[in-house]
Amino acid sequence: MALQIAPSILAADFANIQKEVEMLNQSQADYIHVDIMDGVFVPNLSFGIPVTQAIHKHAKKPLDVHLMIVEPEKYVEAFFKAGAAIISVHAEASPHLHRTLQQIHSLGIKAGVAINPHTPVSILENVLHDIDLVCLMSVNPGFGGQKFIEQTYHKTKQLHAMRTHAKASFLIEIDGGVNIENAPKLKAAGADVLVAGNFVFSATNPQEVIRQLKAIP
Ligand code: DX5
Ligand code: ZN
């Protein structure tokens, strides 16, 4: 199976958001990754609901919304209404994770769980059949353009083995510092979806970069 690619709009030119989304529409990207930061769960702010709506207005690809916020359950419905096709919440920000996953599913969209680099994949053991996607953070969330954390290969393999053992069917997504050097190793470790921000948007030809990532055998 070819890798699925989710360019992170956080690295796009926000003064030309329509143009950037249209560029992605014409590319081989599978999703548009939308990073929401609250300045509390993570030490940075990004953007919120109106900007997500604006992206959705022009997007022909499903929006993969990554909530890096405390109390994500309070905003799940608003991001669904803003056009999310997948909503991922952080396990570390969700004391009632199972309830939040049910809440997301009740809206008829896909539910994901993101975990920080230090969080073991075993935290997901009891929700493996309740999730459509696991987002393994390969940088500490909060900023684009950071260096990939090598331990992610090990976590990807562990999660892949857990999925096989449980006969579960969620997608394994890797988020942070992804580039053409680490992407083949991530695929070999069991990744299905790669998020890529700076690597795509700082390229002279972002569509070609997306094509190259998808072409990894
Ligand atoms: C980090 C975000 C990532 C980030 C990826 O907090 O969740 O999605 O935008 O950007 P790059 O690929 O530049 O690390
Ligand atoms: Zn993200």
Side-chain angles (χ1 to χ4, degrees), residues 6-11 33-37 42 44 66 68 90 135 137-148 174-179 195-200:
S8 169
I9 202 78
L10 186 65
H33 186 82
V34 178
D35 284 310
I36 309 297
M37 304 178 181
V42 290
N44 195 14
H66 177 196
M68 287 164 274
H90 266 266
C135 177
M137 293 309 300
S138 41
V139 296
N140 287 293
F143 304 91
Q146 301 183 84
K147 189 176 174 292
F148 178 82
I174 312 298
D175 186 8
V178 167
N179 57 40
V195 175
N198 280 268
F199 187 64
V200 166

Side-chain angles (χ1 to χ4, degrees), residues 140-214:
N140 287 293
F143 304 91
Q146 301 183 84
K147 189 176 174 292
F148 178 82
I149 296 170
E150 301 277 322
Q151 177 70 5
T152 312
Y153 299 123
H154 175 65
K155 284 178 79 175
T156 307
K157 286 182 200 156
Q158 277 186 320
L159 184 62
H160 188 266
M162 271 172 74
R163 180 174 75 181
T164 306
H165 188 250
K167 296 188 171 64
S169 58
F170 55 83
L171 294 170
I172 300 176
E173 177 180 74
I174 312 298
D175 186 8
V178 167
N179 57 40
I180 200 74
E181 273 80 53
N182 53 33
K185 282 207 262 178
L186 288 167
K187 184 170 190 225
D192 305 298
V193 186
L194 300 184
V195 175
N198 280 268
F199 187 64
V200 166
F201 284 96
S202 64
T204 337
N205 186 345
Q207 292 172 331
E208 174 57 17
V209 167
I210 295 167
R211 194 197 63 72
Q212 285 172 7
L213 288 169
K214 276 204 77 84

